[in-house]
Amino acid sequence: MNVRLQGWGGAALYVFAAAMMVFILAPILLIIAISFSDGYFVSFPPSGFTLDWYSKVLGNSEFTGALLFSTLLSLGTTLFSLLLGIPAAFALVRGNLPCADLCKGLLLSPLIFPVLITGLALLQLFTGYGWSNAKLNLLLAHTVVTSPYVVRTVITSLELVNPSLEEAARTLGASRWATFRQVILPQIVPGVMSGAIFCFMVSFDNYPVSMWLADSENTPVPVVLYRQIGTVFDPSVATMSTLIILLATVVVIILEKLVGLRRAMAA
């Protein structure tokens, strides 16, 4: 994969790749540039440079509270998705279930249905049972939406694991838990980590589900951001978006330091 492309074809491919990168990154760079504007309304190019919007946003208790709530909610959702998704994937691959394909389809079905419809259905379900705890409802709903990512990535990793290694460990006297912890888990770490980052990102940026289940005291940051856009569209909106992008970048860097992003995303 380290072969360098040469000739006119290689140069054209490099130019095309660079153009695609600019096309993909242009909206993000535009938002970041607007966040430093010294105007009172969104305009591009910015009329000047200032950090006042960052101090204003970071001093906004509504936004900082929503940012903290979304971070904790996403971490909790990721944890629950891992606790549910890893055993489910293991059962589908190693359990010899008679209806494995049907079970797999049911577990992955939240990826198919529109998230807006899923959020509305969960709202009706929680309302019907009288569950009024917004924090718990959001945690359960986000777990329903994100756990299929863990199931999908861990299944892919498990299918690449040689079952003979598990059989050898069991033959040598290792228990099921020891076999999983010392033999299987190290080999599926890329799938687990890639599923975890998908869970965190999807949960943190999930507006359709949060819109139905949030209340005035438990409001995720996407709801606050959309509310801000609906009232006044000033550079503070771009500043909030930039901070969210920064947080996502930090998560990706942490994943790269833990297991290597290329290795994790190759699962």
Side-chain angles (χ1 to χ4, degrees), residues 77-264:
T77 299
T78 302
L79 177 61
F80 272 81
S81 297
L82 292 175
L83 292 177
L84 295 175
I86 295 175
F90 194 83
L92 290 173
V93 177
R94 296 287 190 266
N96 296 322
L97 300 177
C99 301
D101 292 336
L102 177 61
C103 294
K104 181 179 179 180
L106 292 175
L107 290 174
L108 299 180
S109 60
L111 298 176
I112 303 174
F113 293 104
V115 185
L116 187 66
I117 304 301
T118 302
L120 179 58
L122 290 172
L123 173 63
Q124 293 178 337
L125 175 66
F126 296 149
T127 302
Y129 282 98
W131 296 352
S132 58
N133 190 325
K135 291 181 180 179
L136 180 59
N137 292 346
L138 283 168
L139 179 61
L140 294 176
H142 281 213
T143 301
V144 169
V145 174
T146 60
S147 56
Y149 292 96
V150 177
V151 174
R152 187 67 187 91
T153 57
V154 175
I155 284 178
T156 303
S157 295
L158 281 173
E159 290 175 346
L160 299 177
V161 175
N162 187 353
S164 299
L165 298 177
E166 304 172 40
E167 297 174 358
R170 295 300 306 278
T171 301
L172 294 174
S175 63
R176 291 185 180 274
W177 168 245
T179 302
F180 175 79
R181 181 170 54 87
Q182 299 180 7
V183 178
I184 301 175
L185 186 58
Q187 299 183 75
I188 65 172
V189 164
V192 173
M193 295 303 297
S194 57
I197 193 173
F198 276 120
C199 288
F200 184 89
M201 293 302 180
V202 171
S203 174
F204 190 88
D205 195 42
N206 194 308
Y207 174 75
V209 172
S210 301
M211 175 190 66
W212 294 111
L213 301 175
D215 58 14
S216 58
E217 297 181 358
N218 304 283
T219 307
V221 70
V223 178
V224 173
L225 186 60
Y226 275 84
R227 186 185 302 164
Q228 182 73 9
I229 294 175
T231 55
V232 54
F233 193 48
D234 57 25
S236 66
V237 176
T239 303
M240 294 179 184
S241 302
T242 302
L243 292 174
I244 295 174
I245 294 171
L246 179 62
L247 179 61
T249 304
V250 170
V251 172
V252 172
I253 293 175
I254 292 175
L255 177 64
E256 173 65 24
K257 295 299 182 181
L258 289 176
V259 295
L261 183 60
R262 295 180 181 179
R263 181 187 173 200

Side-chain angles (χ1 to χ4, degrees), residues 35-50:
S35 68
F36 294 103
S37 175
D38 62 354
Y40 290 98
F41 299 97
V42 172
S43 62
F44 188 84
S47 57
F49 179 87
T50 183

Side-chain angles (χ1 to χ4, degrees), residues 63-75:
F63 174 74
T64 55
L67 185 62
L68 177 61
F69 178 75
S70 288
T71 302
L72 295 177
L73 175 62
S74 300
L75 290 174

